Amino acid sequence: MSDNMSNPKSLGNRVGSVQCENTTLHLLKANDFVAKSIRERLKDVCVVNVCSSPGSGKTTLMQETGKRLSKELNIAVLVGDPETERDAVRMREVGINALQIVTGGMCHIEAQMILQALDHINIEDIDLLFIENVGNLLCPSAFDLGEDYRVTLLATTEGDDKPKKYPRMFLTSELMLVSKADLLPYVPFSVDAVTKDAQEVNPNLEVITISTLNGDGLDIWCDWLKAKVQRKKQQYSELETK
């Protein structure tokens, strides 16, 4: 979620669009209510919702991030998939506190799933909670999960035309990670073109190019995360002193 924490993700509009409050029926109002409850519960935890298409490298990124930041931050991950617990197992194998959310075929995670999952994972003293969403660039974009920030991965193998095809995902994200950058010499993908399209949808969108294979951009990504965690702690401290 952006630094303005009062606006649910479901209310985001594309640049140039107008929302008429008196005529718009927000079918996601119940989800937004639960998302607000999650924020109240996790006032001192930085929550990052990681979205992408299947196979873009979310789980590998979570593993590599955990390895790099485990000595500086306490990290937990809620992993969403339609079936199996394979991704959570992969997290635990590298020492990351992880819980699998099996959606039973649903193409996204909803806020009530996160709220229930919080009762089954140890979040005491956690600095950073990742939500690894179900692989999908469409459905998850409409559901606010109580996150502070939404990050969307776009792999170089997917093609650079996705921001205009799936604009809401990029509109409601604070950061786009161009993953699998090590394959750039071998695929028809332009980082400049995808950045231009994405920032036409969302002018405030940050972009980092990464490769979990050779480590390119991961230090920048980790620095971004550390800054966001520090900001959340500062906001919580200021709130407590009021």
Side-chain angles (χ1 to χ4, degrees), residues 62-79:
M62 297 295 95
Q63 290 177 298
E64 291 301 314
T65 303
K67 291 176 185 178
R68 289 168 179 263
L69 292 180
S70 60
K71 293 182 179 179
E72 300 179 62
L73 300 174
N74 291 324
I75 300 173
V77 184
L78 297 175
V79 189

Side-chain angles (χ1 to χ4, degrees), residues 14 19 29 52 63 72 74 76-77 95 100 108 110 117 122 145 148 151 169 208 212 220-221 223 225 238-240:
R14 286 192 65 183
Q19 179 172 314
K29 189 172 182 179
S52 77
Q63 290 177 298
E72 300 179 62
N74 291 324
V77 184
Q100 187 80 40
H108 59 273
E110 296 183 3
N122 182 12
L145 302 182
D148 298 296
V151 175
M169 181 59 77
I208 301 174
T212 54
I220 300 173
W221 157 243
D223 286 344
L225 288 170
E238 291 172 354
L239 185 65
E240 288 294 286

Side-chain angles (χ1 to χ4, degrees), residues 5 16 22 42 87 129 141 146 167 197 223 238:
M5 295 188 176
N22 60 333
L42 301 177
D87 286 354
L129 175 64
S141 65
D197 275 3
D223 286 344
E238 291 172 354

Side-chain angles (χ1 to χ4, degrees), residues 79 81-88 100-102:
V79 189
D81 275 311
E83 299 293 346
T84 82
E85 294 191 11
R86 291 181 178 180
D87 286 354
Q100 187 80 40
I101 298 174
V102 178

Side-chain angles (χ1 to χ4, degrees), residues 145-156:
L145 302 182
E147 71 262 32
D148 298 296
Y149 304 97
R150 181 174 292 174
V151 175
T152 295
L153 271 71
L154 183 62
T156 58

Side-chain angles (χ1 to χ4, degrees), residues 28-94:
L28 297 171
K29 189 172 182 179
N31 183 87
D32 292 340
F33 179 80
V34 179
K36 183 178 179 180
S37 298
I38 293 170
R39 289 191 177 92
E40 288 294 318
R41 184 167 176 179
L42 301 177
K43 288 180 179 178
D44 60 339
V45 179
C46 183
V47 183
V48 178
N49 181 6
V50 182
C51 302
S52 77
S53 299
S56 64
K58 293 191 300 299
T59 304
T60 303
L61 177 64
M62 297 295 95
Q63 290 177 298
E64 291 301 314
T65 303
K67 291 176 185 178
R68 289 168 179 263
L69 292 180
S70 60
K71 293 182 179 179
E72 300 179 62
L73 300 174
N74 291 324
I75 300 173
V77 184
L78 297 175
V79 189
D81 275 311
E83 299 293 346
T84 82
E85 294 191 11
R86 291 181 178 180
D87 286 354
V89 170
R90 287 175 59 186
M91 304 288 184
R92 297 185 200 116
E93 286 175 346
V94 295

Side-chain angles (χ1 to χ4, degrees), residues 163-221:
K164 291 294 181 73
K165 288 185 174 182
Y166 303 93
R168 180 176 283 275
M169 181 59 77
F170 298 89
L171 169 67
T172 59
S173 296
E174 282 71 41
L175 174 66
M176 176 175 72
L177 294 176
V178 179
S179 63
K180 303 187 180 182
D182 50 284
L183 295 178
L184 280 170
Y186 313 106
V187 294
F189 187 100
S190 168
V191 176
D192 289 340
V194 78
T195 299
K196 180 177 181 293
D197 275 3
Q199 291 181 338
E200 284 180 358
V201 172
N202 179 0
N204 297 316
L205 186 69
E206 298 181 66
V207 180
I208 301 174
T209 301
I210 63 167
S211 168
T212 54
L213 185 65
N214 60 28
D216 286 353
L218 293 186
D219 286 341
I220 300 173
W221 157 243

